[in-house]
């Protein structure tokens, strides 16, 4: 698995058919023996006050088997509940069932943590939403819906045009 952090959103590319985590392949869906046993959920909290005519900013994290995985300036942080959303009013505002995976949260973390090491967090280019995008792809071959990243993408474009 290689992660390329580019202009808009991280691009996830599978570069070998048999990955170290054992369950990621080049197929459209995760492979594995038997029925997927790990429940994957997406936790979402709006950040700040909604300003009319501007996209809303979001904090996201992924929950696998009731254990939250969130990317911060300290790297990937794990907790038994959605603690990363506690600072937001009524957080998390939404927890969405995304599907079932053959890959456990610990296996996903083992494959992604070196790409999301402590000190590599960047508010616009590599943040909680970037991590969740990659985690969902690893677990379910699904991407984070773009509406949860639209504000940071717009701000990144503005920042790039001013340089």
């Amino acid at each position: 698995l290689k992660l390329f952090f580019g202009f808009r959103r991280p691009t996830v590319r599978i570069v070998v058919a048999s990955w170290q985590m054992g369950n990621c392949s080049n197929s459209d869906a995760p492979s594995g023996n038997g029925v997927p046993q790990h429940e994957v959920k997406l936790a979402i909290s709006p950040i700040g006050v909604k300003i009319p005519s501007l996209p809303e900013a979001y904090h996201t994290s992924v929950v696998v088997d009731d254990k939250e995985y969130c990317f911060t300036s300290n790297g990937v942080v794990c907790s038994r509940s959605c603690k990363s959303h506690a600072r937001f009013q009524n957080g998390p505002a939404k927890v969405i069932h995304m599907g079932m995976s053959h890959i456990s949260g610990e296996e996903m973390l083992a494959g992604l943590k070196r790409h999301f090491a402590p000190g590599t967090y960047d508010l616009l280019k590599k943040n909680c939403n970037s991590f969740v995008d990659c985690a969902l792809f690893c677990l379910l071959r699904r991407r984070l819906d773009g509406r949860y990243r639209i504000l940071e993408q717009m701000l990144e474009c503005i920042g790039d045009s001013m340089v």
Side-chain angles (χ1 to χ4, degrees):
L1 175 73
K2 284 192 178 181
L3 303 176
F4 298 94
F5 293 93
F7 178 67
R8 295 243 181 241
R9 67 193 290 186
T11 302
V12 181
R13 294 184 186 163
I14 303 297
V15 293
V16 292
S18 179
W19 186 32
Q20 68 200 26
M21 289 169 46
N23 292 318
C24 292
S25 68
N26 288 330
S27 67
D28 290 335
S31 61
N33 296 326
V35 177
Q37 297 185 16
H38 304 285
E39 183 180 25
V40 179
K41 296 183 242 180
L42 172 64
I44 307 157
S45 292
I47 298 173
V49 178
K50 171 72 174 118
I51 299 170
S53 75
L54 278 181
E56 197 162 17
Y58 293 94
H59 167 68
T60 61
S61 63
V62 67
V63 180
V64 182
D65 298 330
D66 295 322
K67 186 173 183 181
E68 179 191 35
Y69 297 86
C70 175
F71 180 56
T72 71
S73 59
N74 296 318
V76 180
V77 177
C78 305
S79 66
R80 273 279 158 218
S81 62
C82 292
K83 285 185 181 178
S84 73
H85 296 263
R87 64 180 178 240
F88 304 107
Q89 185 176 357
N90 302 320
K94 275 198 258 186
V95 178
I96 302 167
H97 174 82
M98 298 297 289
M100 300 296 287
S101 177
H102 289 284
I103 300 168
S104 72
E106 292 303 316
E107 289 171 318
M108 175 270 303
L109 180 60
L112 295 180
K113 70 179 174 183
R114 69 185 174 105
H115 300 287
F116 294 92
T120 63
Y121 183 94
D122 181 285
L123 185 61
L124 296 179
K125 296 180 181 177
K126 189 176 173 187
N127 57 31
C128 61
N129 299 324
S130 306
F131 170 75
V132 169
D133 188 38
C134 292
L136 288 174
F137 186 81
C138 175
L139 293 162
L140 301 169
R141 293 292 187 265
R142 294 179 65 181
R143 304 295 301 267
L144 179 63
D145 190 314
R147 73 180 132 175
Y148 301 120
R149 303 203 58 227
I150 190 70
L151 183 61
E152 64 208 56
Q153 290 171 354
M154 286 176 53
L155 292 173
E156 185 178 359
C157 288
I158 291 168
D160 286 346
S161 68
M162 300 190 74
V163 174

